[in-house]
Amino acid sequence: MNILSWVIYIPLQILFLPIVILGALLVAYKQIVVSKKLGLSMTAIEVINGRWTMHIFGMREDKATVSLAAALPNTSLFGLWLCLFPLWIKHKISGRLALYPRVPELGSETIADLIVARTLYFDRVIERAVGQVDQLVVMGAGYDMRAYGKLQCKNVSFFELDQPSVQTHKLASLESSGIASEHVTFVSVDFGNENAVERLIESGFDTSKKTLFLWEGVTLYLSEADVRKTMGDIRNTAPAGSVLLADIYAERFIAFAGKGSRKKTLDQTGEGLDFGLNFSTNHDEVLSEFVESESMSIGETFFMGRKNDKGPFVVVVEMTIG
Ligand SMILES: C[S@@+](CC[C@H](N)C(=O)[O-])C[C@H]1O[C@@H](n2cnc3c(N)ncnc32)[C@H](O)[C@@H]1O
């Protein structure tokens, strides 16, 4: 079946090329132009598009993402279907994942795997850690739907932090897609100008309870000073045993993704890239030095693309407090 799937996929993909281009244009228009017009995050759309794709290809059940994505004005599911249809047909015939989306071997990820692999690594740590905490804080939540899926049955209080415009829009979209959100406390914050933990406390965050902080796809948009300040605020407030789970990017990724036409696109929604670490040599040591300089200790790590001669392009890192 695998050979048959390639025999059907290759001509179908070639025939579909104009349709794929049309789909990509539709997705890009919604993501860039509509997000800019509505003052929303276009990078958060990239993530929900990736997680929608994972669900559609049977990699990760996430019905809440599918419902929310259908209600968002700044993505086009029709466009995504046009882009992915030949790959989806191939997947249906072979029952396997190939090209995109796929589950790469740890260390062999490419930039095309970023959202999919990062989501899987975050999921893995969350699944283990969530049973040991009482609160879960999604920082820079965007359209993350973890608080509305299977984690909801865990005995934890949920908080979501984001910029006011993104958060207000998410709340309205949750309501219009009929997704209950009463169990989540929404706290608007700008990591650059505010103390995120103070804002959390004002909203009922309990500083005596162990907490899992998710900071997925956010540090790269902040300055090093703002990343360190937020880490310090968490360390000084959350009790021992709390965990900060984040992705931290290589300087080479920031330089590559933050220049040329990609930079111009990111500038449209004020999402220029900034913080990164130099992972070109001794990436383990570089990460340890950074995390220990903030008086946290390293738990599990996933260095993505570490088999590349230039070193990993990002790490998903579990950092423990106390
Ligand atoms: C790439 S999205 C990631 C969304 C989400 N964490 C996920 O994985 O689905 C980045 C998010 O960070 C938020 N963000 C970026 N800079 C921020 C800041 N200075 N303060 C608060 N949120 C910020 C954006 O609004 C956006 O929702």
Side-chain angles (χ1 to χ4, degrees):
M1 278 316 230
N2 196 31
I3 293 175
L4 176 68
S5 74
W6 282 107
V7 170
I8 293 175
Y9 165 70
I10 293 170
L12 186 64
Q13 183 69 77
I14 294 168
L15 270 175
F16 246 71
L17 205 60
I19 295 173
V20 170
I21 294 170
L22 180 70
L25 287 173
L26 257 175
V27 174
Y29 171 78
K30 293 273 191 160
Q31 182 179 341
I32 303 165
V33 181
V34 178
S35 292
K36 184 182 177 193
K37 204 153 61 181
L38 300 176
L40 303 171
S41 163
M42 67 152 214
T43 62
I45 285 296
E46 242 159 40
V47 185
I48 193 167
N49 285 350
R51 295 199 187 131
W52 177 88
T53 305
M54 291 171 86
H55 177 90
I56 295 300
F57 280 73
M59 286 179 85
R60 176 180 186 268
E61 191 175 296
D62 193 349
K63 289 184 186 139
T65 283
V66 173
S67 303
L68 183 70
L72 294 177
N74 49 342
T75 191
S76 168
L77 298 186
F78 178 60
L80 282 175
W81 267 119
L82 296 185
C83 292
L84 296 167
F85 187 67
L87 283 165
W88 184 78
I89 290 288
K90 183 187 177 318
H91 165 64
K92 283 289 159 196
I93 296 169
S94 67
R96 295 187 191 186
L97 295 164
L99 302 176
Y100 182 82
R102 62 177 195 139
V103 183
E105 187 196 335
L106 179 59
S108 303
E109 302 86 350
T110 66
I111 287 176
D113 300 313
L114 173 60
I115 304 294
V116 169
R118 183 177 92 184
T119 297
L120 295 174
Y121 299 145
F122 266 77
D123 282 352
R124 215 186 287 180
V125 179
I126 294 167
E127 206 165 296
R128 170 173 50 73
V130 74
Q132 291 145 33
V133 299
D134 305 304
Q135 302 178 118
L136 192 144
V137 179
V138 190
M139 311 206 303
Y143 304 115
D144 184 307
M145 294 302 283
R146 288 196 173 87
Y148 312 86
K150 63 180 182 182
L151 292 183
Q152 229 182 306
C153 67
K154 305 280 176 191
N155 198 15
V156 290
S157 310
F158 294 96
F159 295 84
E160 286 196 5
L161 303 179
D162 212 318
Q163 308 178 88
S165 60
V166 179
Q167 199 159 67
T168 308
H169 180 253
K170 181 177 187 175
L171 265 165
S173 306
L174 285 170
E175 202 181 323
S176 68
S177 47
I179 300 171
S181 61
E182 296 76 23
H183 62 293
V184 181
T185 304
F186 291 84
V187 184
S188 65
V189 72
D190 179 344
F191 297 118
N193 298 315
E194 291 172 288
N195 180 326
V197 184
E198 263 174 25
R199 298 281 295 116
L200 273 170
I201 294 169
E202 286 161 16
S203 305
F205 176 84
D206 187 336
T207 55
S208 69
K209 289 186 173 167
K210 271 198 217 170
T211 302
L212 173 58
F213 296 87
L214 306 183
W215 212 10
E216 183 173 4
V218 187
T219 61
L220 69 170
Y221 304 108
L222 306 178
S223 66
E224 175 166 355
D226 291 340
V227 170
R228 286 186 178 278
K229 187 186 148 321
T230 304
M231 288 174 77
D233 293 339
I234 289 174
R235 180 190 64 231
N236 294 333
T237 323
S242 296
V243 169
L244 170 61
L245 180 59
D247 45 347
I248 298 178
Y249 290 76
E251 282 173 358
R252 79 173 169 97
F253 177 92
I254 302 290
F256 162 78
K259 71 173 183 201
S261 59
R262 173 85 186 152
K263 179 180 180 330
K264 277 192 201 142
T265 310
L266 287 166
D267 286 345
Q268 297 287 312
T269 48
E271 293 176 285
L273 304 187
D274 193 337
F275 175 60
L277 293 175
N278 184 351
F279 289 148
S280 55
T281 50
N282 301 327
H283 53 266
D284 277 307
E285 265 172 50
V286 171
L287 181 68
S288 296
E289 264 173 36
F290 173 72
V291 174
E292 283 160 20
S293 73
E294 287 302 327
S295 306
M296 294 188 187
S297 34
I298 294 188
E300 207 170 355
T301 55
F302 303 87
F303 280 99
M304 291 169 56
R306 69 168 180 224
K307 291 187 183 161
N308 189 303
D309 291 342
K310 295 176 186 157
F313 57 91
V314 59
V315 63
V316 171
V317 54
E318 176 188 15
M319 296 172 268
T320 311
I321 294 144

